[in-house]
Amino acid sequence: MFFSLQDYLAKLEPMVNVDCGSRTPEGVAAVADYVTALYQRIGYRVTRRQFSDACGPCLEITNAPDAAQYDVMLSGHMDTVFPVGTAAERPLRVEGDMAYGPGVSDMKAGVLALWYALKDLPQAADGSLKVVVCYNCDEEIGSPYSRDWLVDTAKKSACVLVAEAARANGQLVKARKGNAKYRIAFHGKASHAGNALAEGVSAITELANWTLAINQMVDLEAGTTLNVGLIKGGTGVNVVPDFAEAIVDLRFWDNDAAEGIDAHLRALADSPFVAGCRVEVERQTFKPAMRPSADTEALIALVEAVAAEQGLPIGWQEAGGGSDANFTAAAGVPSLDGFGPQGGGWHAASEFLMLGSVEPRIRLLQGVLARLAARG
């Protein structure tokens, strides 16, 4: 494979220099149009899938349009976390051996790296490796619209490789914590704090009791953590508050433990601390934990063998943040993550891409795909 970093950066620039937050459908659509043209150029069939007007399109791309099963599913996301105007404020720039810009490594670099890995792969060209590539539009908000499609496609694939960025230290990702976000609403009764305090029912007092109870559910040893991260409530200092709200973050390694937490929260809602309060528990997002199975361990060994042949030092990380690999792994499909070039600073103005890692990581992915084809 002949590789030109200048050519790669030229192709990366228009993908970074567009506002494509999850709730910016037109920006994600612009990225989708760009990616579609790249894949059509190398003979792949591209199918556009629109699951909601709230977000942009998803892309299902394959070299085997009539296949009932795929040898591998490659996955990435086209959306970022940044608001409109960010791309104009800080477009792609290169400084030494680093590139910077919104979404440069999370995950435009990985989206493009998949195309580079496939375009010169003989096993993909001759059909001995049946590939499906899924690019979704809503990963940064938990993939609420694309999740079912991703899981259904993964179930038709022997394994899943996700091109989120490799860590700055070179590690890939073999496990990820699960996560959930809860909105808990507290309804009380308003009254005058000076003249009729006893007639009121304080939603904030109920929220305070819940905060303490939630803190007691944390199990650091097991890796189950909860955080009451956002709260609001009340209308005035002299009014007993009739409404309050908390947004709670849950992270976990054990999916059964997460369901236990969910049941505990709902049981608390059935028996409020403050008489007269009513509590509503809404689980807004949920990603199951990604844990390696025996088949995943075999896939890890395959990746390590290819890396050793190429003289590329790699390692494996158990990450706290989630990705779409959480969903595919929970569906029973061997899944690994971190196949994009190395980077860091994600979701911040300091986000960076390590340019020296781009070609080696593309070659690693090519080698893994070739080995999968040989394995049959």
Side-chain angles (χ1 to χ4, degrees):
M1 177 190 80
F2 171 76
F3 178 79
S4 164
L5 183 60
Q6 284 189 327
D7 178 73
Y8 178 90
L9 288 171
K11 287 183 170 61
L12 182 65
E13 185 173 23
M15 299 173 68
V16 174
N17 291 354
V18 58
D19 291 315
C20 50
S22 307
R23 301 293 188 183
T24 311
E26 62 277 11
V28 175
V31 176
D33 290 342
Y34 185 79
V35 171
T36 294
L38 287 177
Y39 277 94
Q40 288 178 336
R41 187 187 309 173
I42 60 173
Y44 279 63
R45 188 187 73 178
V46 182
T47 303
R48 208 176 185 95
R49 301 200 180 276
Q50 186 78 45
F51 297 110
S52 171
D53 291 338
C55 294
C58 298
L59 298 179
E60 184 174 318
I61 305 167
T62 184
N63 68 336
D66 300 321
Q69 297 287 325
Y70 302 103
D71 298 306
V72 61
M73 169 178 158
L74 302 174
S75 180
H77 65 87
M78 299 179 287
D79 59 323
T80 71
V81 300
F82 300 104
V84 172
T86 305
E89 290 173 3
R90 47 184 188 87
L92 181 74
R93 74 181 196 279
V94 175
E95 295 181 2
D97 60 356
M98 298 286 190
Y100 301 88
V104 66
S105 61
D106 185 19
M107 60 170 294
K108 296 307 190 324
V111 167
L112 186 57
L114 292 180
W115 179 79
Y116 268 86
L118 291 172
K119 76 180 182 71
D120 294 321
L121 185 69
Q123 294 86 346
D126 65 20
S128 59
L129 183 74
K130 295 179 175 61
V131 180
V132 62
V133 187
C134 294
Y135 291 125
N136 65 331
C137 63
D138 56 347
E139 192 275 343
E140 294 292 6
I141 55 173
S143 306
Y145 307 111
S146 65
R147 174 180 178 172
D148 291 345
W149 164 67
L150 292 171
V151 170
D152 288 345
T153 308
K155 287 179 177 179
K156 295 187 288 186
S157 307
C159 63
V160 176
L161 305 178
V162 180
E164 294 276 8
R167 275 31 190 180
N169 63 5
Q171 291 182 332
L172 290 86
V173 179
K174 68 176 182 178
R176 287 183 179 273
K177 272 191 172 185
N179 62 74
K181 182 173 74 173
Y182 285 87
R183 174 185 177 271
I184 306 176
F186 306 91
H187 302 272
K189 179 182 176 182
S191 66
H192 193 287
N195 295 328
L197 181 68
E199 296 177 13
V201 178
S202 172
I204 287 180
T205 299
E206 182 69 18
L207 183 156
N209 277 282
W210 272 68
T211 300
L212 296 175
I214 286 171
N215 288 345
Q216 291 300 312
M217 298 180 201
V218 172
D219 185 344
L220 292 176
E221 185 174 344
T224 304
T225 61
L226 295 96
N227 180 55
V228 181
L230 293 170
I231 62 171
K232 66 179 181 181
T235 57
V237 70
N238 61 343
V239 180
V240 175
D242 65 349
F243 178 78
E245 179 183 87
I247 305 297
V248 181
D249 177 89
L250 167 64
R251 307 276 169 156
F252 52 90
W253 286 117
D254 186 332
N255 292 324
D256 290 337
E259 294 305 325
I261 292 290
D262 186 85
H264 192 177
L265 292 173
R266 297 182 191 282
L268 284 178
D270 290 336
S271 301
F273 292 91
V274 177
C277 257
R278 178 172 59 86
V279 183
E280 298 170 335
V281 175
E282 176 191 3
R283 188 163 73 179
Q284 295 183 314
T285 64
F286 179 80
K287 278 187 178 179
M290 171 190 173
R291 302 295 282 174
S293 64
D295 287 338
T296 309
E297 293 290 353
L299 186 59
I300 288 171
L302 184 152
V303 174
E304 290 174 342
V306 173
E309 289 176 0
Q310 297 182 359
L312 183 65
I314 63 169
W316 298 94
Q317 183 179 105
E318 296 186 343
S323 82
D324 287 321
N326 291 60
F327 297 132
T328 61
V333 184
S335 302
L336 293 175
D337 202 347
F339 281 89
Q342 293 165 240
W346 308 302
H347 297 190
S350 58
E351 183 175 351
F352 62 89
L353 168 66
M354 299 169 66
L355 297 179
S357 74
V358 175
E359 183 179 2
R361 292 296 160 151
I362 292 172
R363 291 190 183 277
L364 173 64
L365 181 55
Q366 280 188 324
V368 170
L369 294 174
R371 186 68 63 89
L372 289 174
R375 188 178 71 170

